[in-house]
Amino acid sequence: MSLRPQVIQLYKNLLYLGREYPMGYEYFREKLKRSFLKNKDATDPEQIKMMIGRGEFVIKEIEALYMLRKYRTLKRRYYDNEYGNRAGKDTQ
Amino acid sequence: MSLKVLVGCKRVIDYAVKIRVRPDKLGVVTDGIKHSMNPFDEIAIEEAVRLKEKNIVKEVIAVSCGPTQAQETIRTALAMGADRGIHVEVPAKEMEKLEPLHVSKILAKLAEKEQAELVIVGKQAIDDDTNATAQMTAGILNWPQATFASKIEKKDDFLEVIREIDGGLETIKVKLPAVVSADLRLNEPRYATLPNIMKAKKKKIEKMKPADLGVDTTPHFEVIEVTDPPAREAGIKVEDVDTLLLKLKEVGRI
């Protein structure tokens, strides 16, 4: 059962990421819990490893989502056009 | 390499939070509101960490001026890869009145004390948008400055920095020691993951007060009023093209 701590850690890491989820923490937590519970009876180590891998892929995807969201918001706020309008906001 | 880098990171209201003006109109509501690291400072930290990963830099020191909670911001910086932190404690009440000049003086003093050869900060904070700290820090230290950096490369004993300027890019050389301010396109900051935040708890954060560095934080400015931006006025519907043209002429658009 050496994979158990890994699965728990994965769950914790995902929960932490969910705190900033655009549709809310509750939505994320429920979905996360459901997807983990769905596979609670899995016993094959190979299969569990594969599922952990999938979880880690999801982590990367969420990180990328947050990064892009922040980048786009800042770009919209501070850079109206391709160049210029560097410091000010809404100066037309 | 023995280069030490000092990186400034400010704790600001999170970029995704809707800002509300306080009823007394002398500031914005900050109590119980989500704060996080200024996004431009995240870019600054990321750049310092990347320089370290390229073995150009030996140590990355994250500095934040602010109330006790500024430690969380420093933790985030440590989780992203900074080696240690310095927390210059400024009570929340005084933090409102802390000006870029004060922060510049603190950063300059710390750069001298730590014998840092490079100071990287975000170009501006998303709360007060002053865009002045990097420039003034360079001024106080009498170091060259490379502001709005979108690419930094180390060559021999100088840095080659590509700057974002109106209408294009500018490439400059700056001798070290220098002050650099990070623009949006410099890099894509990594996410401070939970395991890394846990690991960062082992890293040291030194605590001090502005007075310990001999910096006087008496305000030079007084906030007279803070107001919301004007609300967008509702549009109108027009019957036909002629009325549209007429209306456009009225407001002087055509």
Side-chain angles (χ1 to χ4, degrees):
Chain A
M1 284 306 279
S2 65
L3 285 171
R4 192 178 155 82
Q6 276 189 52
V7 174
I8 294 174
Q9 196 54 48
L10 178 71
Y11 188 74
K12 280 185 181 171
N13 291 348
L14 277 160
L15 259 192
Y16 177 78
L17 270 176
R19 298 197 306 186
E20 278 182 61
Y21 201 71
M23 292 173 79
Y25 179 66
E26 271 313 304
Y27 171 86
F28 185 90
R29 199 183 68 92
E30 263 168 45
K31 257 192 106 170
L32 181 67
K33 197 171 178 183
R34 230 182 301 137
S35 27
F36 268 72
L37 279 180
K38 201 171 70 195
N39 298 316
K40 70 176 170 139
D41 295 324
T43 46
D44 178 19
E46 281 309 307
Q47 198 198 350
I48 296 175
K49 268 184 203 154
M50 209 186 72
M51 289 191 287
I52 293 176
R54 196 163 64 205
E56 270 152 13
F57 171 76
V58 171
I59 289 183
K60 288 274 162 281
E61 291 282 274
I62 297 173
E63 281 175 11
L65 166 80
Y66 290 170
M67 210 265 306
L68 266 177
R69 190 167 63 132
K70 194 180 282 182
Y71 178 85
R72 285 193 185 132
T73 314
L74 286 173
K75 191 164 169 352
R76 202 169 50 235
R77 275 186 205 164
Y78 290 99
Y79 308 81
D80 291 326
N81 38 41
E82 188 59 30
Y83 299 108
N85 190 17
R86 115 165 358 281
K89 298 171 180 177
D90 306 324
T91 44
Q92 291 206 333
Chain B
M1 281 313 284
S2 61
L3 208 62
K4 265 195 197 180
V5 187
L6 202 65
V7 190
C9 47
K10 187 178 187 182
R11 175 179 177 265
V12 298
I13 295 180
D14 190 77
Y15 78 99
V17 170
K18 172 104 179 70
I19 304 290
R20 280 184 303 132
V21 173
R22 236 166 36 199
D24 69 1
K25 291 206 164 192
L26 290 175
V28 294
V29 181
T30 53
D31 289 342
I33 282 181
K34 189 183 172 210
H35 284 68
S36 50
M37 193 196 297
N38 175 31
F40 289 110
D41 293 341
E42 278 180 349
I43 298 172
I45 297 270
E46 176 67 30
E47 194 60 23
V49 173
R50 284 189 193 185
L51 287 172
K52 196 190 162 195
E53 286 166 353
K54 284 186 207 152
N55 283 325
I56 293 168
V57 159
K58 191 184 75 177
E59 193 179 29
V60 179
I61 310 167
V63 185
S64 189
C65 306
T68 326
Q69 300 96 309
Q71 278 192 25
E72 288 160 30
T73 308
I74 299 176
R75 289 264 174 245
T76 314
L78 296 177
M80 285 171 75
D83 296 291
R84 63 189 167 94
I86 299 176
H87 176 209
V88 181
E89 203 167 9
V90 181
K93 261 269 160 266
E94 284 170 39
M95 190 58 203
E96 276 173 28
K97 297 193 174 76
L98 196 76
E99 292 159 13
L101 181 59
H102 303 141
V103 179
S104 305
K105 282 178 180 167
I106 291 169
L107 286 178
K109 280 274 181 215
L110 283 173
E112 278 170 1
K113 192 174 157 242
E114 299 287 346
Q115 292 174 322
E117 281 166 276
L118 182 60
V119 176
I120 310 181
V121 290
K123 65 163 185 161
Q124 70 193 66
I126 59 164
D127 53 358
D128 53 15
D129 285 321
T130 51
N131 184 355
T133 309
Q135 292 85 335
M136 287 198 286
T137 310
I140 294 164
L141 287 164
N142 203 16
W143 288 3
Q145 54 178 295
T147 47
F148 313 121
S150 78
K151 192 163 194 255
I152 301 173
E153 241 178 297
K154 173 94 165 48
K155 303 211 167 146
D156 302 324
D157 61 339
F158 61 87
L159 291 178
E160 192 176 277
V161 180
I162 299 180
R163 302 180 60 229
E164 298 217 7
I165 56 170
D166 284 347
L169 298 167
E170 179 185 62
T171 310
I172 58 164
K173 275 183 182 177
V174 282
K175 276 212 186 98
L176 289 170
V179 180
V180 175
S181 81
D183 211 319
L184 186 62
R185 279 175 273 249
L186 182 58
N187 58 44
E188 290 101 41
R190 68 194 71 184
Y191 198 83
T193 56
L194 184 60
N196 284 343
I197 285 181
M198 290 316 208
K199 276 181 223 154
K201 288 197 173 164
K202 289 202 187 90
K203 293 179 181 174
K204 278 204 184 95
I205 298 182
E206 200 183 333
K207 250 193 185 181
M208 56 182 74
K209 291 200 162 55
D212 298 339
L213 295 163
V215 177
D216 175 22
T217 55
T218 322
H220 299 90
F221 298 116
E222 187 193 347
V223 174
I224 296 170
E225 197 186 12
V226 175
T227 46
D228 280 310
R232 195 168 166 269
E233 276 174 47
I236 49 161
K237 273 189 184 171
V238 287
E239 296 289 318
D240 49 37
V241 179
D242 290 339
T243 348
L244 173 70
L245 289 173
L246 197 74
K247 289 283 177 195
L248 283 173
K249 266 184 193 144
E250 267 176 30
V251 293
R253 289 288 182 194
I254 50 171

